[in-house]
Amino acid sequence: MQSRRQLLLAAGATMALAGCASTAQPVAPPPAPPAPPPPPPAPKAGEQLTKFLDDVFQAAVDDSPQLATSLGLDNGARSQAKFKLDDASLADRARDKAQNTQFLGRLKAIDRAQLSGMAAVNYDSMMFGLETGEAANQRFDYGYLGAGQPYILSQLTGSYQQTPDFLGSQHRIETKEDADAYLSRLADFGAVMNQETERARRDIDAGVIPPDFVISRALTTMNNLLVAPEKSPLVSSVADRAKAKGIAGDYAGHASKIYLDAVRPALERQIALFKQTQPKAVHDAGVWRQPDGEAYYHHALLGSTTTTLTADEIHNIGLEQAKELSARAEVLLRAQGMTQGTVGARIRALFDNKKYRYPNTDAGKLKLLSDLNGKVEAMSKRLPDYFGTLPKAPLEIKRVPTFIEAGAPGGYYNQPTLDGSRPGIYWINLRDTAENPTWTLPTLTYHEGVPGHHMHLALQQEADLPMIRRVIFLSAYGEGWALYAEHLAKEMGVYADDPLGEIGYIQSSLFRSARLVVDTGMHAKRWSREKAIDTMTSIDGSLKSSATTEIERYCVWPGQACSYMVGKLTWLRLRDKVQAALGPKFDIRKFHDAGLLGGSTPLTVLEGIMDRHIAEMKA
């Protein structure tokens, strides 16, 4: 059979011969060619959406080698991903913006009216993220994409803060190729820091300068990384793990050279930039002082809470919740014989009481971790009564690496890999055990572990969802769920014989209520850092050192702290709504499955999921 090119050549030759044959006898015209087949029908909206979601996921993994590693996809056709870190250049930022615009256009071209059920949930969830990102991308040209992280470098942002932890905890070393890939990434680390320095300098020149205390805290952490190669965890991580796996090679020597030639000079350039910037920095904490800062905070709240709540509304919710929770704390504290002073002062006295502290030693910290594992085991036995579906992925509890613990939060969670090669990990910060008295630890564990983040994120990855929806995290949904999980644990009866543990639960909720007050206070009402710290400690009784770390976090991550309580209150309101609608048909296990197996969604979309759940249960 002739190819299309051969057919065209044959037609051209015939035409040429016909032009030369002027003396030839006339011949009958050839028969008319058959009509072309009709074009195939356009794909239906559901098919278009499936293709779109797959394209978004593939693009995300292709663009982020670190995401590929985090998901366990840096193998096979993507095996080269583990040799690279994510690009942090200005050019890559521009590409990401353009890609968001392109994806938004593609999604809008799909007929939403043709979609129903989970397809509609997928569409609406993606539309929210793309539209929110697009609006912020078009308005703001500093910090990270969108709105919510205005500073490329701070005590919490920048690869200097994140990459050492990533290389140590997520880059696996099982083979020589893995160890060599680590060295490649270590060299890339220096290049990425240089890219960030360029971006940070550009923002600083435009007047986007972090507060003076943020620069000071970041410089402390940066300087702590400037150690001799033999003392650097960047070197020991690959050397120790390669040796443990029996992988031959002088990995300590190679890593030391890369550290000295590429990593250290890049870090020194970031330190130099911040030292040059320090005289220009001011003490004002809020993002309001940045270019178009009031609008920036509005967009940050929209993205974090996935609601249209204003800063004033969120501020007032925080005050109302603090009042309600303090009333319950009053009852519990009086039962413990603690009757003098404000609720915050009495909770602070519990923090100060040394009998509730683990020894601040290696042995004491090991005992703390062991006790937390016991809490997880006990909670796991209760889960079948409250959840129809349980995660398959296991959960591990580890301490935050010591070289980043100074600026890291008190606890956080890393989801498991898709292939199950790495479990879910609940990281707890043990820089000072005084920050984690015994009566606070159960609630923290239920938040970060089960039934909190691990229940949500492990189930989401194991659910029958498009890949991009299996890996997305929306703070209002996810942090709201984890805070709701703290409330659920109380309902399960875990504090029936542990009144101090219930005080810990109340303190945690007061802490999240205080976040609503202080985040909006700094960024919308122009409070100082010091007023925010004093307000937080007065509401939740936390240590000043802990409150300071938290307040400085909110300064560089405006809006995110508001997502927790807004999300929790939404989960509780929706549960009440479903229970009222279903009456005796209400099943808390099915409610939780309906909410969790649909994956992270904006809170407005979660409302629709619950409306559908009501209709299905009534049918």
Side-chain angles (χ1 to χ4, degrees), residues 245-269:
K245 293 293 182 180
I247 301 169
D250 182 15
Y251 285 98
H254 291 312
S256 295
K257 186 175 189 310
I258 294 170
Y259 172 79
L260 290 172
D261 293 348
V263 176
R264 186 175 179 119
L267 185 57
E268 288 172 338
R269 282 187 279 272

Side-chain angles (χ1 to χ4, degrees), residues 180-253:
D180 292 343
Y182 181 104
L183 296 179
S184 177
R185 274 181 159 163
L186 187 60
D188 216 10
F189 184 22
V192 169
M193 281 195 286
N194 288 335
Q195 292 171 338
E196 290 174 335
T197 301
E198 179 187 7
R199 286 177 63 176
R201 181 177 287 111
R202 171 182 175 273
D203 287 355
I204 289 167
D205 289 345
V208 183
I209 300 173
D212 54 7
F213 53 87
V214 166
I215 292 178
S216 177
R217 178 78 70 139
L219 283 172
T220 297
T221 306
M222 289 174 174
N223 280 305
N224 286 341
L225 293 174
L226 288 180
V227 296
E230 61 271 16
K231 294 183 179 180
S232 172
L234 291 165
V235 174
S236 60
S237 178
V238 63
D240 293 347
R241 288 191 286 161
K243 183 178 179 181
K245 293 293 182 180
I247 301 169
D250 182 15
Y251 285 98

